[in-house]
Amino acid sequence: MSHRTVITAVPGVPIIQIERIFDAPQEKVFQVFTQKDKVARWWSPSDEVHIEQLEAHEGGTWRFTHIFDGREITFYGVFHEVTAPERIVQTAEFANLGERGHVVLGRYEFTKFAENQTRMLLTEAYLTTQDRDTALQSGMETGLAQSYGNIDNVLQDM
Amino acid sequence: MVEQSLYLDNIFNSLADPTRRDILRRLIDAHYTVGQLAKHYDISFAAVAKHLTVLEKAKLIRKQRKGREQIVSIAPQAVKDASYYLKQYESLWSHRFDEIDTILKEIYES
């Protein structure tokens, strides 16, 4: 059975936190977040993904593209800090937005949770609540809605 | 029962349109007059007003008259819509994390 993903967003504050436990030591989990061949396998729900750049070191850049219904969707950014196996701080921006400046700061923290278990806490800081909401909706725009969030989810929320 | 499904139909229709989704997104942060909202879109004032009527019928927004102006604000139902987007995002990350579980398992077994 997989662990639960805990996502928190405080209304009016442009921060999202995502938390998850993994059944592996920090070093292994860290590899999965920083190695090209690993990220290629988990980052996109699309079958077609290109990890164009992933230089997981301070000042390194990253650029990932995935393809949905023939449409290329690209995200890119810079690594501010990469401290194995405990922390990654990076910027992220959505290339298809049509205007620049909507940057997100992401901090991944990996801590020992139990023997052979790691807790990952991702904190995403957006510049405005509107930027945050656009990001939340990106799932819909990438066709994720069809795969995961179907009408049943909406019904449950009402 | 029939009434309930009619009501839900209205909500789904409302959310199916990108302009209406965008109007809702703006209203999560602030109140607007109809005129202020219309300025954000390339479509006519009448077209925006029409979208607002659809949203109002679906009980996603509220309109209140204040002097000569109509103030548009989000209805509690639409706040639930925001939690719907949050669910979407959570689904994306859950999917990613499940893949990571698989990768980690492989690393272990090799």
Side-chain angles (χ1 to χ4, degrees), chain A residues 39-49 65-68, chain B residues 92 95-96 99:
Chain A
V39 174
R41 287 185 54 191
W42 67 261
W43 183 74
S44 174
S46 163
D47 292 335
E48 197 176 349
V49 57
T65 294
H66 50 178
I67 293 158
F68 286 96
Chain B
L92 168 64
H95 174 82
R96 287 173 170 170
E99 292 293 321

Side-chain angles (χ1 to χ4, degrees), chain A residues 19 30-31 33 43-45 52 56 78 84 88 95 99 103 108 145 152:
Chain A
E19 197 187 331
F30 198 83
Q31 280 175 22
F33 278 83
W43 183 74
S44 174
E52 292 153 294
V78 177
I88 303 166
E99 75 182 41
V103 186
Y108 296 80
D152 291 343

Side-chain angles (χ1 to χ4, degrees), chain A residues 17-76:
Chain A
Q17 286 200 311
I18 300 161
E19 197 187 331
R20 177 69 143 70
I21 307 290
F22 295 103
D23 294 326
Q26 271 169 273
E27 290 75 14
K28 301 280 181 217
V29 178
F30 198 83
Q31 280 175 22
V32 175
F33 278 83
T34 48
Q35 289 178 0
K36 225 172 171 174
D37 60 320
K38 308 282 192 303
V39 174
R41 287 185 54 191
W42 67 261
W43 183 74
S44 174
S46 163
D47 292 335
E48 197 176 349
V49 57
H50 305 287
I51 305 298
E52 292 153 294
Q53 288 163 20
L54 206 184
E55 305 156 356
H57 57 79
E58 254 179 61
T61 59
W62 65 273
R63 189 179 180 91
F64 308 159
T65 294
H66 50 178
I67 293 158
F68 286 96
D69 298 329
R71 212 155 60 98
E72 285 191 8
I73 296 170
T74 301
F75 290 86
Y76 65 98

